[in-house]
Amino acid sequence: MDTDKEEFLREFGADYGYPNGPKTIDEIRATEFKRLDGLVYLDHAGATLYSELQMEAVFKDLATSVYGNPHSQSDYSSTTCGIMKEARQQVLDYFNASPKDYKCIFTSGATAALKLVGEAFPWSHQSSFMYTMENHNSVLGIREYALGQGAAAFAIDIEETLHHVASRSTVVPVRVSQHQIQRRSEARFLEKEPTECNFSGLRFNLDLVKIIKEDSERILEGSPICNGRWMVLIDAAKGCSTNPLDLSKHPADFVVVSFYKLFGYPTGLGALIARNDAAKLLKKAYFSGGTVAASIADIDFVKRREEVEELFEDGTTSFLSIASIRHGFKILNSLTISSISQHTASLTMYVRKTLLALIHDNGASVCTVYGSDSLKVSCHEWGPIVSFNLRRPDGSWFGYREVEKLASLSGIQLRTGCFCNPGACAKYLGLSHSDLLSNVEAGHVCWDDYDVVNGKPTGAVRVSFGYMSTYEDAKKFIDFVRGSFVSLPNQIGCGYHFRERSIPFPDKDKKWFAGFMAILVMLIPYMSHHSYSRVELILPKFLIGMKHLLGCTYNSKAFCVFWVPEGSGSRLLAGSFYLNSITIYPIKSCAGFSTESWPLSNTGIGHCLRYDREWILKSLTGEILTQKKVPEMCLIGTSIDLHQGILFVESPRCKERLQISLESESYNGSGEEICIRGQRYEGQGYNNEVNSWFSHALGQPCCLLRCSMSTSYYLNKSGSVGMCRDGQSRLNFSNEAQFLLISKESVSDLNNRISSNAKKGSSGVPVEVSPMRFRPNLVISGGEPYAEDGWRNLKIGDNYFTSLGGCNRCQMINLVNKAGQVKKSNEPLATLASYRRVKGQILFGLLLRYEIGDGVEQEPESLLQVGQKIHPNSF
């Protein structure tokens, strides 16, 4: 056992790992969660995991039992009714609710249970809907029913002093939203709170239930709606997995439950636990099979059932799923909820404390943990959630999407964003209404990649634990944060190493610069007779090892140097770069073809490789298909014969090779507007024969569209979020720029790093990455690895290009075609992330825009050829 775990067990050993349970945590993981080998799953607040033992019991039950429709009268239907009755009782028992006082109504999920209350509650202009800021969107949706019927709605903040509210020594401030409120003493009100905030993990004092119902005037002092009858709805979907409320002590009127949050399976099943007197207030307009005792088709007559469960469970319930929940409860009951709570609390407090203790080499704090204003609060007052954001040494924020992408590469699954809890998100991140509206106007929506807007995070990173989580899960996560986001003193003694600035910009490296200046002095006599592009010097033997002595590489913005062993010395060359290959990708996200030469087309508003990414595939629902969503697209091969004027397409799934004329008469005449990444196009469609071929090749219905040269235009969104970098020219169907350049030397260096990581055991079997993995248009050879990072522009033959910066890489480069099968691994993105990260982006390759050189008479069409010399920073 390592010393870190020994220290953890000294502090948390009494609570961690079920020491008095039927199985230890190590035995549980080894026998019931074998599928987690090599994976760290930390999103139990989103969905916890089912046990393999649990599922074996479910499958055995379904395989050996016959369950009939509970609305029938057969023997097997009666058996189903009996199982459902037992399941209802299990749910009530879990919350210590007497069947004399409460009923369990099965729904399709916790959201459906909330919606049921919102729809059926008797809202009026006399009603009010009060809810805490830390509520899920599914709860906020109830507000629409309330406001739609003339009721008022307002949010409240519950401060930490509420932990001591039972002593009646404090008054909790209430914040009321700006809605006009009409008051009557007999009015009905609904108050909504969660048992646990799914953003911060803070657990609310459930004494609030009685206080709201019996003494609302005290905590709503000064509010014009402090009088009236309050009813309490509790969202227990998350909190009850480790801390179920006791309804005998905290008699809420409504409680919503989600079973996959409890024990992973089944999904699509929840419950509404309703007090009998509260349920009588709910009025449904709709009726269905199973909810009526009698109805007449041709007159307005219906007699509804009187039992609460039968009245609100529309149609046939999900009886097979209901029959399965007993096996989940069996797992929880065998471990006991108190032991599960202690086990998850120990991991939560360990991670919370460790994150707060992390500092950069300059003393700056690394981590902001939300809801951690006081660690003096008992760890049992926190749910098993830790939400946080990470800062760089200069105080700027790492984007949460960067954290999520790097965690995924490290085999860690976590959650980022606002977790469908906009109130808690705004509260903990300090986002004003102006900030939130500004973010929306900038294009930010839920689940997008805009994680930092105007210097502020738009969400957070969340890790959460379940009953099967282990110390090893928590430790691997902590090690990941340390290794990826904490700046440390450089181990080789060259000052400090900042991982987020891992791309070499050696003009800032003083040690290299001093060494380079010494060499430059030696070169001056020779350079007076030679231009930079033609300098060629034979250096003494003692300079051969200079590169290793200096411990770094040099990529100048003026010229590039590299060492080539030759005889008794080395040769220092400047500017020796050549075009090694040209690749065209006619259909976006499909395979391309390489060629020795290829024309550049002048579209009038920009230059591009002729026919490059001029076609796309679109699903019948209008979605543009890419390898990210349809990896099999890489199996579709393409080639173009310019003399015949034909695009050839082939697929291992299709016997015949498809031939598509490059002339416009091949269209079927239909056109449609397409918007991709801030650009709009007029796309021309093809006939059914072409579309059927591609549908068969991909195994899903789709159609082929071609960008119309004459009518496509750029959608000007100057300065808006999401604008492509090459906004000055039409991009066909490319993403950020018309040209992507990759260096063979950079790829070679990457392969060496991947191989080295594999030997050190930090990655799996080493892989050899081809430059084509990055889908470049242009592959160059010569120079030092990453020399292209310092290029502002370049000239290839008589063609001029401006650098738009590095290409931000994604998971797509981890897809590889092996013998007709698409395989995915962590490489090369995992290795690139270790040394090519800049401000949240993993950069590899250079994006280019075509330019017309000063004083150069540009032909309508020019040519790129393999072997042409490349002149960096030439204009």
Side-chain angles (χ1 to χ4, degrees):
M1 183 183 299
D2 61 44
T3 55
D4 288 340
K5 187 169 185 179
E6 289 176 351
E7 183 178 347
F8 169 81
L9 291 177
R10 278 195 295 272
E11 183 172 0
F12 300 107
D15 295 330
Y16 173 78
Y18 313 106
N20 301 316
K23 290 182 180 180
T24 66
I25 184 60
D26 292 335
E27 291 171 334
I28 291 172
R29 284 292 288 262
T31 59
E32 300 183 34
F33 294 91
K34 296 186 287 291
R35 66 189 187 278
L36 290 183
D37 287 349
L39 173 67
V40 175
Y41 184 85
L42 297 177
D43 188 23
H44 295 274
T48 198
L49 302 175
Y50 50 79
S51 156
E52 292 161 24
L53 185 65
Q54 171 191 349
M55 297 310 296
E56 288 173 4
V58 170
F59 294 148
K60 182 179 179 180
D61 184 10
L62 296 179
T64 58
S65 304
V66 177
Y67 294 110
N69 189 315
H71 293 165
S72 299
Q73 302 299 312
S74 67
D75 291 342
Y76 293 119
S77 297
S78 297
T79 300
T80 301
C81 291
I83 291 292
M84 291 178 61
K85 183 177 181 179
E86 293 175 9
R88 296 186 204 277
Q89 187 60 51
Q90 279 187 302
V91 175
L92 295 178
D93 290 344
Y94 189 72
F95 292 94
N96 198 21
S98 168
K100 295 180 180 179
D101 300 320
Y102 288 92
K103 293 294 186 288
C104 172
I105 303 165
F106 286 117
T107 63
S108 63
T111 296
L114 292 166
K115 185 170 182 283
L116 190 159
V117 175
E119 285 179 333
F121 193 80
W123 302 106
S124 72
H125 67 281
Q126 299 173 329
S127 307
S128 291
F129 176 48
M130 178 173 71
Y131 52 92
T132 61
M133 282 291 289
E134 294 91 342
N135 260 302
H136 196 279
N137 271 325
S138 296
V139 173
L140 298 187
I142 295 177
R143 183 177 60 192
E144 298 304 302
Y145 291 112
L147 297 178
Q149 296 299 319
F154 63 96
I156 61 172
D157 274 310
I158 302 176
E159 295 185 348
E160 284 196 28
T161 52
L162 195 58
H163 289 301
H164 312 290
V165 74
S167 66
R168 298 177 180 267
S169 60
T170 59
V171 176
V172 181
V174 176
R175 183 165 64 87
V176 179
S177 62
Q178 300 301 305
H179 296 287
Q180 184 178 354
I181 301 173
Q182 298 182 11
R183 300 175 289 281
R184 285 185 181 178
S185 58
E186 69 273 18
R188 298 188 181 96
F189 300 83
L190 182 66
E191 197 275 341
K192 166 67 186 72
E193 64 175 277
T195 57
E196 176 183 306
C197 175
N198 79 326
F199 188 98
S200 68
L202 182 66
R203 286 176 176 160
F204 292 90
N205 192 319
L206 292 175
D207 288 339
L208 266 175
V209 175
K210 280 192 175 182
I211 294 171
I212 288 289
K213 290 171 71 69
E214 300 173 4
D215 195 12
S216 60
E217 292 184 35
R218 182 171 63 80
I219 67 168
L220 296 176
E221 183 179 354
S223 171
I225 47 79
C226 60
N227 296 314
R229 177 188 174 189
W230 285 99
M231 307 188 74
V232 177
L233 165 64
I234 290 182
D235 178 4
K238 168 61 189 76
C240 69
S241 61
T242 56
N243 188 39
L245 72 156
D246 185 339
L247 286 174
S248 68
K249 297 179 180 179
H250 311 291
D253 297 285
F254 305 101
V255 179
V256 299
V257 185
S258 179
F259 293 106
Y260 78 90
K261 298 281 180 101
L262 279 173
F263 32 69
Y265 180 88
T267 57
L269 183 68
L272 171 65
I273 301 171
R275 281 186 65 87
N276 293 337
D277 55 347
K280 292 177 182 177
L281 294 175
L282 302 181
K283 303 298 180 183
K284 280 184 58 181
Y286 177 77
F287 66 88
S288 65
T291 64
V292 295
S295 65
I296 299 177
D298 57 346
I299 63 172
D300 183 11
F301 174 83
V302 59
K303 178 177 175 58
R304 300 175 187 266
R305 292 190 179 273
E306 296 182 359
E307 292 295 326
V308 172
E309 302 96 330
E310 295 177 333
L311 179 61
F312 290 103
E313 290 176 352
D314 288 318
T316 301
T317 54
S318 184
F319 57 89
L320 294 181
S321 293
I322 294 171
S324 299
I325 66 174
R326 54 180 171 166
H327 303 294
F329 278 120
K330 183 178 180 180
I331 296 287
L332 299 187
N333 293 335
S334 68
L335 294 173
T336 74
I337 291 300
S338 61
S339 295
I340 291 173
S341 182
Q342 292 168 2
H343 171 78
T344 54
S346 67
L347 294 171
T348 304
M349 186 55 66
Y350 164 70
V351 168
R352 188 180 292 271
K353 290 174 63 177
T354 307
L355 287 177
L356 287 171
L358 294 177
I359 59 172
H360 290 295
D361 62 281
N362 65 353
S365 177
V366 174
C367 190
T368 297
V369 178
Y370 299 110
S372 62
D373 298 333
S374 174
L375 282 177
K376 296 179 181 179
V377 176
S378 166
C379 64
H380 296 292
E381 295 185 16
W382 297 94
I385 287 175
V386 182
S387 290
F388 61 93
N389 273 311
L390 300 171
R391 288 184 183 268
R392 297 184 175 89
D394 63 2
S396 62
W397 297 98
F398 286 103
Y400 58 77
R401 284 289 291 133
E402 177 183 0
V403 180
E404 184 174 33
K405 286 189 284 187
L406 294 178
S408 180
L409 290 173
S410 298
I412 300 172
Q413 307 301 309
L414 43 74
R415 179 83 175 267
T416 63
C418 274
F419 326 124
C420 298
N421 195 329
C425 188
K427 176 179 177 179
Y428 286 109
L429 298 180
L431 299 175
S432 66
H433 289 164
S434 176
D435 292 330
L436 296 172
L437 292 173
S438 176
N439 291 348
V440 172
E441 290 172 358
H444 171 57
V445 295
C446 296
W447 304 343
D448 66 18
D449 287 341
Y450 305 126
D451 46 16
V452 178
V453 177
N454 297 323
K456 293 183 179 181
T458 60
V461 183
R462 184 184 73 187
V463 296
S464 51
F465 300 96
Y467 76 81
M468 74 298 296
S469 297
T470 64
Y471 163 80
E472 286 72 23
D473 292 337
K475 181 63 165 57
K476 184 173 180 180
F477 166 71
I478 291 294
D479 289 344
F480 156 72
V481 174
R482 280 199 183 105
S484 301
F485 300 99
V486 181
S487 65
L488 302 171
N490 195 333
Q491 299 301 314
I492 62 173
C494 281
Y496 293 96
H497 172 62
F498 297 97
R499 290 181 176 86
E500 70 272 19
R501 295 176 182 171
S502 54
I503 294 181
F505 294 105
D507 51 312
K508 299 179 182 178
D509 191 316
K510 294 181 179 179
K511 180 173 181 181
W512 197 99
F513 185 72
F516 175 71
M517 289 302 296
I519 297 174
L520 186 59
V521 170
M522 299 170 59
L523 295 180
I524 289 175
Y526 298 92
M527 294 173 68
S528 62
H529 302 290
H530 302 274
S531 67
Y532 284 166
S533 62
R534 297 183 182 275
V535 166
E536 187 172 291
L537 297 166
I538 303 301
L539 300 178
K541 285 185 178 181
F542 72 88
L543 288 180
I544 297 176
M546 180 64 73
K547 171 183 163 183
H548 303 288
L549 177 64
L550 296 175
C552 51
T553 61
Y554 173 65
N555 302 322
S556 169
K557 290 185 178 180
F559 56 92
C560 303
V561 298
F562 65 101
W563 298 89
V564 182
E566 183 175 319
S568 62
S570 294
R571 189 186 316 184
L572 181 61
L573 303 177
S576 297
F577 300 92
Y578 296 91
L579 185 57
N580 185 265
S581 71
I582 303 168
T583 305
I584 315 300
Y585 305 89
I587 305 175
K588 182 178 175 67
S589 267
C590 293
F593 65 95
S594 295
T595 179
E596 289 295 310
S597 63
W598 199 257
L600 290 166
S601 294
N602 185 352
T603 65
I605 50 175
H607 284 70
C608 61
L609 290 163
R610 186 188 285 186
Y611 303 124
D612 185 53
R613 285 163 294 191
E614 202 162 295
W615 289 263
I616 58 168
L617 290 169
K618 184 171 70 72
S619 73
L620 299 187
T621 61
E623 180 182 24
I624 304 301
L625 302 183
T626 66
Q627 277 192 39
K628 290 181 183 179
K629 299 175 181 178
V630 189
E632 294 77 13
M633 293 182 73
C634 72
L635 302 178
I636 296 179
T638 59
S639 62
I640 288 178
D641 189 315
L642 293 176
H643 297 292
Q644 297 185 56
I646 293 176
L647 165 64
F648 296 97
V649 192
E650 55 188 2
S651 165
R653 295 180 176 177
C654 300
K655 295 181 179 179
E656 300 295 329
R657 185 170 66 159
L658 184 64
Q659 299 185 29
I660 300 174
S661 172
L662 300 178
E663 301 301 324
S664 59
E665 65 265 14
S666 61
Y667 304 148
N668 66 0
S670 65
E672 59 180 277
E673 188 177 78
I674 309 165
C675 185
I676 305 175
R677 296 179 69 92
Q679 289 199 117
R680 287 182 180 172
Y681 307 84
E682 181 69 24
Q684 296 294 329
Y686 287 84
N687 58 38
N688 290 335
E689 181 181 357
V690 170
N691 294 334
S692 296
W693 190 97
F694 281 102
S695 298
H696 182 67
L698 293 183
Q700 61 174 282
C702 62
C703 60
L704 182 70
L705 292 174
R706 184 180 185 181
C707 175
S708 170
M709 290 287 190
S710 58
T711 58
S712 69
Y713 61 93
Y714 180 69
L715 179 63
N716 187 7
K717 286 187 176 181
S718 179
S720 67
V721 176
M723 189 181 81
C724 63
R725 276 188 265 179
D726 188 0
Q728 299 181 16
S729 56
R730 185 183 62 77
L731 297 181
N732 283 353
F733 291 127
S734 57
N735 289 339
E736 293 186 276
Q738 198 64 62
F739 302 88
L740 172 62
L741 178 147
I742 293 289
S743 161
K744 286 187 68 176
E745 278 65 32
S746 299
V747 174
S748 178
D749 177 79
L750 169 61
N751 280 319
N752 289 337
R753 293 172 185 265
I754 293 173
S755 179
S756 176
N757 290 341
K759 291 176 182 177
K760 293 176 183 177
S762 59
S763 64
V765 179
V767 295
E768 184 75 16
V769 176
S770 162
M772 292 300 105
R773 182 79 73 89
F774 302 96
R775 296 179 62 82
N777 296 111
L778 311 174
V779 177
I780 65 168
S781 60
E784 280 282 314
Y786 315 110
E788 64 275 14
D789 289 338
W791 295 354
R792 300 184 307 273
N793 54 64
L794 65 147
K795 178 184 176 185
I796 306 177
D798 293 327
N799 301 290
Y800 294 82
F801 301 86
T802 294
S803 168
L804 301 176
C807 180
N808 186 23
R809 313 313 311 209
C810 65
Q811 294 274 3
M812 188 168 160
I813 63 175
N814 288 343
L815 299 174
V816 61
N817 179 2
K818 288 187 176 180
Q821 296 292 322
V822 181
K823 303 292 184 181
K824 182 179 180 180
S825 70
N826 284 340
E827 296 294 358
L829 195 59
T831 296
L832 284 174
S834 69
Y835 75 107
R836 296 286 298 177
R837 277 169 51 214
V838 175
K839 296 292 185 181
Q841 296 184 319
I842 303 172
L843 303 180
F844 193 77
L846 198 64
L847 298 171
L848 302 174
R849 179 178 66 236
Y850 187 90
E851 302 285 358
I852 299 178
D854 293 337
V856 175
E857 185 68 28
Q858 182 64 38
E859 296 294 331
E861 183 176 281
S862 56
L863 202 68
L864 286 179
Q865 290 184 315
V866 170
Q868 285 178 321
K869 195 168 185 178
I870 296 172
H871 304 274
N873 301 316
S874 57
F875 64 96

